[in-house]
Amino acid sequence: MKKHLLSIDDLTIDDIDELFETAAQMHDVQGRSVKKLPALRGRTIINLFFEDSTRTRSSFEIAGKWLSADTINITGKGSSASKGESLRDTVLTICAMGVDALVMRHGASGAAKQVSEWTDAVVINAGDGTHEHPSQALLDAYTLTRHIGSLEGKHVVIVGDLTHSRVFRSNIKLLRKLQAQVTVVAPATLLPAGAKSWAESSGFAISNDLDAVLPTADAVMMLRVQKERMSGGFFPSAREYTVGYGLTKDRLALLRPDVPICHPGPMNRGLEIAADAADAAQSVVLEQVSAGVAIRMAILYHQLAGEGNDE
Ligand code: NCD
């Protein structure tokens, strides 16, 4: 395993297998009444989040705590970043206190990589702009594997705001590594520049006809419409988006009942996903959240246990 986890590109197939195996063990710990392992006793992990987050930040925090690490949260709002301190100064200041890992979320694509060049601490990318979100892709694939077995040859359909989605970018890389067959569905305005050539080189399909694709899906992943990253109108109205690309009650009927429905959250209910789909028996949205803790325990364990450990 490489020192930092910045991108899915950092992981070999063996690394992924190992992470999934460890996550399965961690998942068992999650079911116990006493959820504590001593693996990261004495290690300090800082969650440095410059963008809003509910699940990723608390998931990394819980994962660190259950492994007995000391975890501390620093957010952009409320830190000296809001007084004009540069990212480099913030990072150097935190690292001068003697931290072992930085879990980083930042609005700029490439921020985690940049930070990894400034510090000796292990850097874990928890989302950098529209670039990557590797722990999310890992928890998505792990959740799917538990439902539909090996992803090799399985048809995974990813739907929504691809332009602004780091989840989509990390997922494509991971799903293709695991040899899934992938179709992405989006309106032309939410298809990133260069998507066609990326699709050709990495072997995924692009469609704008959700109704045609859903009947052959083995798994569906809905993505949030990321209004906070949009500077103009990417679609005429919310209603039109839902009619074309929402997982509505009618579309749910096009899916086999055993096809898992994923969404990384937070969901815009009624926009990209109807309540009927979000709360359907085949929805795995909350399972993704539980799996998220197990995957992040596995990531922290592999990146930190043993690394720089004097004992
Ligand atoms: C995603 C993110 O922040 O990239 N959320 C998450 O981490 N669970 C997706 C999103 O914000 O839509």
Side-chain angles (χ1 to χ4, degrees):
M1 199 98 48
K2 284 198 181 171
K3 174 173 175 174
H4 307 290
L5 178 56
L6 305 175
S7 157
I8 292 295
D9 297 333
D10 292 331
L11 299 170
T12 63
I13 292 287
D14 286 346
D15 292 337
I16 297 163
D17 285 346
E18 231 178 282
L19 283 170
F20 284 8
E21 245 171 65
T22 310
Q25 290 166 11
M26 299 302 180
H27 228 133
D28 293 339
V29 174
Q30 213 172 351
R32 296 188 200 159
S33 57
V34 178
K35 304 173 188 63
K36 226 20 166 191
L37 296 175
L40 298 184
R41 202 162 39 101
R43 317 307 298 278
T44 303
I45 301 169
I46 305 262
N47 285 330
L48 184 56
F49 275 60
F50 292 96
E51 272 189 4
D52 294 346
S53 170
T54 299
R55 58 222 92 210
T56 306
R57 199 182 74 201
S58 46
S59 181
F60 268 111
E61 184 178 359
I62 290 173
K65 291 199 153 112
W66 287 354
L67 290 170
S68 304
D70 292 305
T71 58
I72 286 160
N73 292 316
I74 298 178
T75 54
K77 291 173 213 137
S79 78
S80 290
S82 64
K83 297 182 184 169
E85 186 173 61
S86 72
L87 177 60
R88 185 164 187 273
D89 284 335
T90 301
V91 165
L92 293 182
T93 302
I94 291 166
C95 291
M97 297 181 201
V99 309
D100 298 293
L102 275 180
V103 177
M104 272 264 319
R105 171 170 286 191
H106 197 280
S109 300
K113 171 145 190 1
Q114 177 68 75
V115 164
S116 74
E117 286 159 16
W118 293 330
T119 172
D120 289 335
V122 168
V123 178
I124 295 168
N125 183 6
D128 61 330
T130 58
H131 177 227
E132 278 220 44
H133 191 353
S135 65
Q136 179 69 43
L138 285 163
L139 77 87
D140 292 338
Y142 172 77
T143 306
L144 289 181
T145 309
R146 284 164 65 96
H147 275 268
I148 61 175
S150 160
L151 299 186
E152 189 177 337
K154 298 280 162 61
H155 185 202
V156 182
V157 177
I158 305 179
V159 190
D161 178 358
L162 305 177
T163 294
H164 302 103
S165 180
R166 51 199 176 205
V167 175
F168 148 68
R169 288 176 179 79
S170 286
N171 258 299
I172 287 285
K173 291 183 180 180
L174 184 57
L175 290 168
R176 292 301 297 139
K177 263 186 205 248
L178 299 174
Q179 294 176 44
Q181 184 202 331
V182 184
T183 303
V184 301
V185 184
T189 49
L190 290 174
L191 200 60
K196 287 209 175 90
S197 59
W198 191 27
E200 273 162 29
S201 63
S202 76
F204 64 90
I206 298 177
S207 165
N208 57 16
D209 188 349
L210 187 52
D211 294 313
V213 172
L214 288 181
T216 61
D218 295 309
V220 180
M221 193 177 289
M222 302 306 296
L223 297 174
R224 184 172 66 90
V225 174
Q226 303 202 13
K227 291 187 200 126
E228 77 280 13
R229 294 191 207 276
M230 294 182 183
S231 51
F234 282 78
F235 43 87
S237 68
R239 175 87 199 119
E240 273 190 56
Y241 182 86
T242 306
V243 168
Y245 301 94
L247 189 55
T248 56
K249 190 176 181 191
D250 288 346
R251 289 207 171 97
L252 197 53
L254 299 174
L255 286 177
R256 292 194 318 269
D258 60 340
V259 170
I261 298 169
C262 308
H263 191 304
M267 295 187 278
N268 289 309
R269 281 175 181 256
L271 181 55
E272 73 264 2
I273 188 164
D276 303 85
D279 303 329
Q282 69 202 91
S283 161
V284 297
V285 173
L286 291 176
E287 277 176 57
Q288 288 172 273
V289 177
S290 322
V293 178
I295 278 289
R296 286 164 181 136
M297 287 174 84
I299 292 171
L300 293 174
Y301 178 80
H302 282 286
Q303 302 294 137
L304 282 173
E307 190 267 346
N309 200 337
D310 303 331
E311 281 176 39

